[in-house]
Every structure is written in C-alpha cells, then in structure tokens.
Amino acid sequence: MLRFPPDFVWGTATAAYQIEGAAQDDGRAASIWDTFCATPGKVRNGDSGLVACDHYYRLDEDLDVIARLGVGAYRFSVSWPRVVGDDGRVNQKGLDFYRRIVDGLHRRGVRPLVTLYHWDLPQRLEDRGGWTARDTAAEFADYARVVHEALAGEVEEFTTLNEPWVSAFMGYGNGMHAPGRTDQRAAVTAAHHLLLGHGLAAAAMRAADPRTKVGVTLNLSPVVPFSDTDADRDAARRYDGQQNRLFLDALLRGKYPADVVELFRDVTDFAFVRDGDMALIGAPLDHLGINYYRPNLVMDEPGSDDPVRAGVRMPPGVEVTSMGWPVQPEGLTDLLVRLRDDYQPVPLYVTENGAAFDDVIGADGEVDDQRRIAYLRGHLQAAHAALRAGVDLRGYFVWSLLDNFEWAEGYAKRFGLVYVDYATQRRIPKSSARWYAGVIRDGGVENADETR
Ligand code: FCB
C-alpha cells in the first residue's frame, strides 16, 4: 500500500460551463462559449452548454453524489456572466447559486475550492477586445472582489484562473476554443492580460481579507524532444517555453523568460507589459494548481507559421485515451520534481487529472470503466513517487465528477467518475467512483508491483 499523508486533500473537479446548463436563466448573460457553440463547425455535433448536465437544477442531487465519494474537497468554477449581467451590475440570483453550492458542501463536510475563471468570459467583454484588452484584467479583479465578498468566511481558498495557456493560445492563437481568434499577437497579449487579471484579483481579495488564500491553476506537461537532434531539442525548449515557462516564470519569478520573449519577437514587442505588472503577477502564491494529463513529445517543424515551430508526436506503443492522449503517468512525477527543482517552494495541488474513455452502460446497468481505474491508479502511484522525492504536494483532484461538455469535443468525450445519461440526466456512478471512494477511505493506493 502506498499511503498518502493524513492531511492529503482528496477531491474531484468540474467547471461551470461544462455542467451547469441554465445558460439563459435567472439573469445569466452570454459568454464567449455560448457564442462559439452557436457558430457552425466550431464544436463537434453542434453541441453546446445550454443544458449540459443540468447541474443548476440538480444541485442537491449532485452534492449528494459528491458526498458519497467521500472526497474532502470539491473544485468548481463560478460563471462570470452568471454573476455580472450585461449591464455590468451584479446578478444576485447568480451569486445565490454559488452560495448554495458552498453551503451545501459545508453541510456535507466537503471543502470548496473556488475557481473564478474557467474560460467563460462574458461576451460583452469580448466585444470590447476580450483578453487582448487591458481593461478586461481590471474587470476580472472587480468580479473577483464581488465573488470573494459574497463567499467571505465560507471559502478560504480561491483559484483565479484555470489554464491561462489554453485561454490565450487556443482561444486567440489557434482558434480551437472560444472566442476562436487566430492571431498570435492577440494570443500573447491575452496571456499577459490573463496573468495581470490574476495579479489584480489576488491583490484585491487579499486586501479585502488578508487570510484569503489565492492560487492559480496551469496546464503543465513535461516536454520531451522527439529525437536527440539539436533541432528537436531546440523545438522542445521552445514548446516548453511557451506552454510552461512563460507562465511559471511570470508567476514564480516575476519575469518572462528572455528566450520566450525572443521567440515571439516577430509578433509582439511585449509593449503591453507596464510598470508594476510583473510585481503583481509575481506576488507570492498560496498554492499552484497543476492540471496534468500527458507529456508532450515534440518535433521541430521548421515550415510552420506558428512562432513555436514545434509539433506534438505520439510515442510509439503507448496506450491512448479517447482524446488520443498518451497514458504516461511517469510524466506526472517528472513534472512535480521539476517544479520543486526549478522554482521557489510553493504548495502544489494536482487540480485536474483524469481520462476520457468510451464508457458504455452494461447489460447489468453498470458502467465498468477499468481503464479509467488503471489510469487514475497509475497517476496516484506517480504522485506518491513525487511525495517520496520530497515534493510538497498537498492534494489531488480527479477530472471530472461527471461526464460533461468537453469544449470543442462536445459531449462525445466522457471524463466522469459518474456517467451522465444525457437523455434522462440520470447519474450512474462508474466502477471508478467506487474505486476512488475506496482509495480515499484507505488513504492510499496499492503499490505498482501489486498491480502487475
Ligand atoms: C482541461 C480543462 C478541463 C477539461 C479537461 C479535460 O484542459 O481545464 O475543463 O476539459 O482539460
């Protein structure tokens, strides 16, 4: 048995747009994801978050599902356009929903970890430039202050942003996510304004209550050169620079890495960085959240028009999930150890880890997802290896509680511990849910040797 520390936080995670539905109810305004989903060809099958898991109307049932898992914490996000309306005024009904979540969690003995921004920017702000506009960072801080005040005393820990790399480079760079822009200069500008929004929001919440703990969640992955050639090794440096170091160095060293600034020289001179920005962005974090799914094996792509000029390749002979992502748990150990070695100490949480598989309801009515169990077990073993190596890892959150709206993939990809039958909205805990409840009860997982 690999035992985790007694105070290790076991959790599971969701995000507002992916589960809530009720996208036009109780004063919720439109977000960039509503607009993106309504644009033909952007999301598989034309799916949208209009109904999603109907979580807005099934809150109590879902809170009971969470409680039955036995998790100590639940990570969810607040929908900005539900809380601030199109007139820029606070929507009390929207805020009340999040109070109900927090109260319901406390009643069930589950700690809330609140993410303020999981990609659903109000459309009214996108219409004014979105994250390419500096004002959006200030608007984000105002919104953070509102949520913080409403939940004051009930929530100790806030995460400002989820995966700013995805918001910036997939939202504004390759256009695969909302708002679907394809402009490298916009993407880098957005990255800075997202980080500035984090810094301003953190300062605002700490000013309101110095006891507030603030963190941020990044999607990080080890980047491995495809071959030992100088070209591939340099491609890996560039890819790592854009995906990992641009964000890590800004947050944990208060500066952008010189080689990454150089990488984008032809698209931007970084004139959007103003005096004082980096001090705000680099203010000490109470925790860093890591979303880990896979490492990236990277090859030089000299002909690419993307400034990073590097493409991801599949490692041969490795199992893949339904997302086409390779299953390589050892990458999680490498990543955690690297953070410990390269950056100043900061408490770490794995705020997302999980896998999509083509789950089916069996003849007995059960969803027996053995591959997900194997995925999670392998990654917990990898997390434990990092703990043994001295990494300050405080907790682990499975992505996701429920099958849900998987962004550009719509409902086709199922990540949940709990199956959602979208026709009836029935929740069916999968085998992995029972397995995870057992892990939490035992405080650990079996040793890798016993698994074989
Ligand atoms: C992460 C997102 C999360 C989910 C998983 C699969 O990038 O934060 O919302 O879509 O991927």
Side-chain angles (χ1 to χ4, degrees), residues 149-200:
E149 193 188 310
L151 304 180
E154 300 239 25
V155 175
E156 284 168 35
E157 247 163 332
F158 289 84
T159 298
T160 52
L161 308 173
N162 178 70
E163 303 189 355
W165 179 89
V166 175
S167 296
F169 290 99
M170 292 183 72
Y172 293 83
N174 67 26
M176 285 165 69
H177 276 193
R181 289 172 61 182
T182 49
D183 172 351
Q184 289 297 330
R185 184 185 157 78
V188 185
T189 311
H192 179 67
H193 291 150
L194 280 152
L195 287 167
L196 179 62
H198 154 79
L200 290 168

Side-chain angles (χ1 to χ4, degrees), residues 66-136:
I66 293 168
R68 277 197 290 273
L69 280 174
V71 289
Y74 173 56
R75 171 179 181 255
F76 64 96
S77 82
V78 174
S79 159
W80 187 350
R82 200 182 282 293
V83 165
V84 184
D86 274 338
D87 54 5
R89 294 228 193 100
V90 173
N91 174 25
Q92 191 57 44
K93 280 192 175 161
L95 269 182
D96 288 347
F97 175 65
Y98 299 104
R99 268 220 82 101
R100 281 171 50 218
I101 298 184
V102 166
D103 290 345
L105 288 171
H106 282 311
R107 268 202 306 279
R108 291 166 177 84
V110 179
R111 188 166 116 199
L113 177 59
V114 176
T115 300
L116 292 165
Y117 186 70
H118 202 125
W119 307 350
D120 44 358
L121 183 71
Q123 180 61 43
R124 85 189 149 91
L125 295 179
E126 181 57 30
D127 295 342
R128 294 175 2 211
W131 287 110
T132 67
R134 191 175 170 91
D135 278 356
T136 299

Side-chain angles (χ1 to χ4, degrees), residues 411-431:
Y411 296 97
K413 307 294 177 200
R414 295 182 176 272
F415 273 93
L417 292 167
V418 176
Y419 186 94
V420 176
D421 174 11
Y422 293 109
T424 60
Q425 292 293 352
R426 197 154 68 93
R427 276 70 167 137
I428 306 170
K430 303 177 190 175
S431 296

Side-chain angles (χ1 to χ4, degrees), residues 9-12 69 71 373 376 380 396-398 417 431-441:
V9 179
W10 298 99
T12 184
L69 280 174
V71 289
I373 292 175
L376 297 174
L380 283 170
Y396 173 92
F397 292 72
V398 173
L417 292 167
S431 296
S432 58
R434 284 182 287 276
W435 173 84
Y436 190 46
V439 169
I440 298 168
R441 217 170 29 238

Side-chain angles (χ1 to χ4, degrees), residues 190-263:
H192 179 67
H193 291 150
L194 280 152
L195 287 167
L196 179 62
H198 154 79
L200 290 168
M205 292 189 287
R206 285 175 174 145
D209 181 353
R211 288 166 306 182
T212 304
K213 297 206 175 94
V214 187
V216 62
T217 278
L218 303 177
N219 55 304
L220 300 174
S221 67
V223 181
V224 183
F226 185 80
S227 77
D228 209 26
T229 60
D230 287 349
D232 283 351
R233 278 194 286 146
D234 198 57
R237 171 191 63 80
R238 298 192 301 271
Y239 194 97
D240 179 60
Q242 187 225 31
Q243 196 198 12
N244 300 320
R245 288 184 290 112
L246 181 67
F247 296 91
L248 286 169
D249 285 26
L251 291 159
L252 298 173
R253 294 180 179 161
K255 58 179 193 236
Y256 288 121
D259 68 310
V260 182
V261 173
E262 176 62 22
L263 187 61

Side-chain angles (χ1 to χ4, degrees), residues 18 118-119 162-163 166 291 293 325 352 399 406-407 415:
Q18 295 180 276
H118 202 125
W119 307 350
N162 178 70
E163 303 189 355
V166 175
N291 293 351
Y293 290 92
W325 296 347
E352 285 181 26
W399 184 270
E406 177 47 35
W407 309 112
F415 273 93

